[in-house]
């Protein structure tokens, strides 16, 4: 890790970048320089100091002032990851990805004067290991998902895009946080139960399914990675001092766990009453859940064996039309109505139409527009709205995955360098708080060190 001292302010950026790591090649240093020009500063500038007026106690209060639960910084950080399951479907797009693009478009250049936010988006490829998958298929899914992020309009010049697994600090912070996280809290969370096939209690009289009272066979099959999944997710978020986490409704519980874990860590280790980890805020998408087109009682998912159950963002227009024509509705007589309980298929189509078109009207009001029309007309309008929304995405995607195109590799490489620099600062702060020692420089090997050679001395004594 390197920092930008006050003496370096105003000097050429390239000089600062070249000090980052003696192991970096010239091309890697140039990538960092290019990334800075695109809107990313390799090291956070020093905090603005208050004017040195008044007595020492006043100055001390000014220096120590900060918002509750937040690290003092000049701009807010928006952070979110998505699992690399291949090409995203309509539910992924409305639940998360379009919101990412909107956040980027709202303030394109994070390094412009007066910029109030920076954005970090990426792939949670370590999380994908909780599901057994062929390694070659996993690599292909990672490339497809990354290409999809670029195809919808996320721009590496304006948003930092990276792979979770390329930054080792995620795993390091997870282990540290694991010593604060409660197994009792983790056992009450729902995602590991869903993926392990353990039914969750619905009736008030039924006991809550926890690690202690689940079936012995189910407990034996449960993998530690799946159970501790939320701790890694918390490490992902906290590592980048995220202020806001835009996610779908199904991830709200994990963000709340992250907030709980950050506060627990701060309470345990902030001896000087300053927060070590930023407690993030949930930023929930308005499109809370998009349901399957073939079983509207279930969420749209890539794991569904029926391809007609979902619409991919790269589907051809005629494929989209065909899938919506086949969408399961009902045979209820009378006008079209919005009733998620009695008419889930019809209600799902109305919800999709409302969110895709960004309508400010309620779902009931939209349903009234179709009171004198048939379901065929509704399905046609939904298909046309989705086709218009996805216009151009397929063409950009195909260009990105074309043989010989190196855009994806460049995004991975630059994202790794820039994300590592940000993550290392937080990890160093955490290690210092818990009492772990670090070398003088994590990014520069000690002079004279070589594999198999004598151990160099740094001049420090313990």
């Amino acid at each position: 890790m390197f920092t930008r001292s006050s003496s370096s302010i105003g000097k050429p950026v390239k000089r600062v970048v070249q000090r980052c790591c003696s192991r970096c090649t010239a091309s890697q240093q140039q990538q960092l320089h290019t990334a800075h020009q695109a809107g990313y500063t390799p090291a956070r500038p020093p905090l603005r100091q208050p004017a040195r007026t008044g007595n020492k106690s006043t100055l001390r209060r000014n220096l120590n002032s900060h918002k509750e639960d937040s690290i003092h910084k000049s701009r807010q950080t928006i952070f979110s990851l998505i699992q690399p399951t291949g090409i995203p479907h309509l539910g992924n797009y409305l639940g998360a990805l379009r919101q990412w693009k909107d956040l980027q478009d709202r303030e394109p250049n994070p390094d412009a004067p007066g910029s109030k936010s920076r954005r970090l988006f990426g792939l949670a490829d370590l999380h994908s290991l909780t599901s057994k998958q062929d390694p070659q298929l996993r690599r292909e899914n990672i490339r497809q998902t990354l290409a999809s992020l670029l195809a919808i309009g996320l721009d590496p010049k304006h948003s930092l895009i990276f792979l979770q697994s390329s930054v080792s600090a995620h795993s390091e912070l997870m282990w540290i946080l694991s010593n604060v996280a409660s197994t009792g809290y983790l056992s009450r969370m729902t995602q590991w139960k869903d993926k392990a096939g353990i039914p969750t209690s619905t009736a008030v009289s039924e006991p809550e399914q926890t690690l202690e009272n689940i079936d012995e066979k189910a407990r034996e099959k449960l993998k530690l990675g799946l159970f501790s999944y939320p701790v890694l997710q918390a490490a992902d978020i906290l590592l980048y001092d995220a202020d806001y986490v835009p996610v779908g409704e199904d991830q709200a519980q994990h963000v709340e766990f992250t907030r709980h874990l950050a506060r627990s860590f701060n309470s345990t280790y902030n001896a000087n009453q300053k927060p070590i980890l930023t407690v993030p805020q949930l930023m929930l998408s308005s499109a809370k859940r998009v349901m399957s087109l073939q079983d509207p009682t279930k969420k749209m998912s890539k794991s569904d064996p029926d391809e007609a159950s979902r619409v991919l963002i790269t589907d051809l227009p005629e494929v989209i039309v065909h899938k919506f024509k086949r969408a399961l509705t009902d045979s209820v007589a009378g006008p079209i109505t919005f009733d998620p309980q009695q008419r889930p298929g019809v209600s799902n189509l109305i919800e999709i139409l409302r969110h895709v078109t960004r309508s400010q009207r309620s779902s009931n009001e939209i349903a009234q527009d179709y009171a004198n029309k048939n379901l065929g007309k509704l399905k046609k309008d939904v298909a046309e709205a989705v086709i218009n929304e996805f216009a151009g995405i397929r063409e950009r995607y195909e260009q990105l995955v074309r043989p010989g195109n190196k855009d994806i590799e460049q995004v991975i490489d630059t994202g790794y360098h820039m994300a590592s620099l940000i993550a290392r600062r937080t990890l160093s702060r955490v290690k210092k708080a818990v009492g772990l020692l670090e070398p003088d420089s994590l990014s520069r090997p000690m002079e004279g060190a070589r594999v198999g050679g004598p151990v160099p001395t740094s001049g420090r004594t313990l």
Side-chain angles (χ1 to χ4, degrees):
M1 186 188 75
F2 66 90
T3 56
R4 190 177 181 184
S5 65
S6 58
S7 61
S8 68
I9 303 298
K11 294 183 180 180
V13 171
K14 198 167 183 178
R15 289 187 58 187
V16 178
V17 174
Q18 286 175 338
R19 293 208 313 266
C20 80
C21 178
S22 62
R23 290 176 291 180
C24 287
T25 64
S27 62
Q28 289 171 333
Q29 293 189 5
Q30 182 58 42
Q31 286 174 355
L32 289 179
H33 179 49
T34 302
H36 181 280
Q37 290 179 321
Y40 292 97
T41 308
R44 187 179 296 164
L47 300 177
R48 182 175 297 175
Q49 302 295 322
R52 292 186 174 273
T53 58
N55 57 36
K56 290 183 178 181
S57 61
T58 302
L59 177 60
R60 190 177 299 111
R61 283 197 302 270
N62 290 337
L63 286 169
N64 292 335
S65 63
H66 60 272
K67 290 184 179 180
E68 182 182 5
D69 291 339
S70 179
I71 306 297
H72 180 57
K73 49 192 175 182
S74 57
R75 53 184 175 173
Q76 295 176 327
T77 298
I78 298 170
F79 174 92
S80 193
L81 301 180
I82 186 173
Q83 276 219 39
T85 56
I87 300 172
H89 55 66
L90 179 62
N92 302 139
Y93 179 79
L94 292 178
L97 302 185
R98 186 169 71 170
Q99 189 179 22
W100 295 7
K101 175 68 162 51
D102 290 345
L103 290 167
Q104 174 185 273
D105 293 346
R106 192 177 303 166
E107 192 179 51
N109 189 352
D111 211 37
S115 174
K116 296 180 180 178
S117 68
R118 66 176 178 186
R119 296 160 300 277
L120 294 92
F121 302 127
L123 305 190
D125 48 348
L126 287 176
H127 289 289
S128 72
L129 297 175
T130 59
S131 300
K132 190 174 182 180
Q133 193 177 73
D134 177 73
Q136 182 57 40
L137 177 60
R138 178 174 284 112
R139 281 188 285 269
E140 185 62 28
N141 283 342
I142 290 172
R143 289 184 59 84
Q144 288 182 354
T145 307
L146 187 54
S148 299
L149 297 188
L150 301 177
I152 67 169
L154 290 182
D155 190 340
K157 294 180 180 178
H158 305 313
S159 298
L160 178 53
I161 303 171
F162 71 103
L163 300 182
Q164 172 199 34
S165 64
S166 68
V167 183
S168 61
H170 287 258
S171 301
E172 292 183 67
L173 183 57
M174 179 201 177
W175 174 249
I176 295 173
L177 294 176
S178 294
N179 294 282
V180 179
S182 162
T183 55
Y185 196 129
L186 288 171
S187 71
R188 293 191 297 272
M189 301 191 75
T190 59
Q191 186 160 13
W192 67 269
K193 301 172 192 174
D194 294 338
K195 290 195 173 185
I198 299 171
T200 54
S201 303
T202 55
V204 177
S205 59
E206 293 180 10
E208 184 177 21
Q209 293 284 352
T210 65
L211 194 62
E212 289 73 26
N213 61 14
I214 64 172
D215 179 74
E216 181 68 26
K217 191 174 181 180
R219 185 160 55 242
E220 286 294 324
K221 290 175 62 177
L222 178 64
K223 304 300 182 185
L224 177 61
L226 182 58
F227 182 72
S228 61
Y229 183 108
V231 184
L232 178 57
Q233 191 168 31
D236 298 335
I237 297 168
L238 300 175
L239 197 55
Y240 298 94
D241 286 337
D243 296 286
Y244 295 99
V245 186
V247 293
E249 185 182 38
D250 59 333
Q251 295 299 316
Q253 187 185 48
H254 286 177
V255 176
E256 186 55 41
F257 173 76
T258 301
R259 289 167 51 80
H260 169 79
L261 193 55
R263 286 192 171 122
S264 296
F265 185 90
N266 287 341
S267 175
T268 303
Y269 291 105
N270 62 343
N272 59 2
Q273 302 304 309
K274 289 185 179 180
I276 301 161
L277 298 173
T278 296
V279 179
Q281 299 293 324
L282 174 67
M283 184 182 286
L284 197 61
S285 169
S286 59
K288 293 184 178 180
R289 185 167 294 192
V290 177
M291 311 308 285
S292 164
L293 298 183
Q294 294 303 309
D295 185 356
T297 63
K298 297 180 180 178
K299 193 173 73 167
M300 186 177 287
S301 172
K302 292 290 291 289
S303 62
D304 193 321
D306 188 353
E307 293 187 0
S309 67
R310 57 190 173 271
V311 174
L312 303 182
I313 64 171
T314 57
D315 277 345
L316 291 166
E318 54 267 32
V319 174
I320 295 175
V321 170
H322 180 68
K323 287 182 177 179
F324 277 109
K325 274 186 178 179
R326 288 189 55 200
L328 182 66
T329 50
D330 56 53
S331 56
V332 176
I336 291 174
T337 57
F338 179 75
D339 186 343
Q341 297 299 320
Q342 301 299 321
R343 310 189 71 178
V346 174
S347 299
N348 187 39
L349 294 177
I350 293 172
E351 281 279 87
I352 291 173
L353 182 62
R354 181 169 75 91
H355 291 299
V356 168
T357 59
R358 302 177 187 266
S359 176
Q360 299 301 310
R361 303 168 68 208
S362 71
S363 296
N364 280 313
E365 289 174 327
I366 293 175
Q368 290 173 9
D369 293 342
Y370 291 88
N372 299 318
K373 300 173 184 176
N374 57 32
L375 285 172
K377 172 61 175 173
L378 173 61
K379 291 180 177 182
K380 179 183 177 182
D381 288 352
V382 176
E384 288 180 354
V386 172
I387 290 170
N388 290 335
E389 181 69 21
F390 289 165
I393 291 179
R394 178 183 178 85
E395 291 73 19
R396 291 191 294 271
Y397 174 85
E398 290 181 338
Q399 183 178 5
L400 287 162
V401 297
R402 187 178 302 161
N405 191 320
K406 298 297 183 182
D407 288 351
I408 293 177
E409 283 71 18
Q410 290 176 1
V411 169
I412 292 174
D413 201 34
T414 301
Y416 152 67
H417 282 285
M418 299 310 302
S420 295
L421 291 169
I422 299 170
R424 182 55 60 182
R425 285 196 293 270
T426 303
L427 188 61
S428 292
R429 191 169 68 237
V430 168
K431 284 185 173 182
K432 181 179 179 181
V434 301
L436 296 177
L437 296 180
E438 286 193 288
D440 285 335
S441 174
L442 291 174
S443 60
R444 183 178 64 254
M446 288 184 286
E447 190 173 345
R450 69 179 187 277
V451 176
V455 178
T457 58
S458 62
R460 294 190 305 169
T461 57
L462 295 179

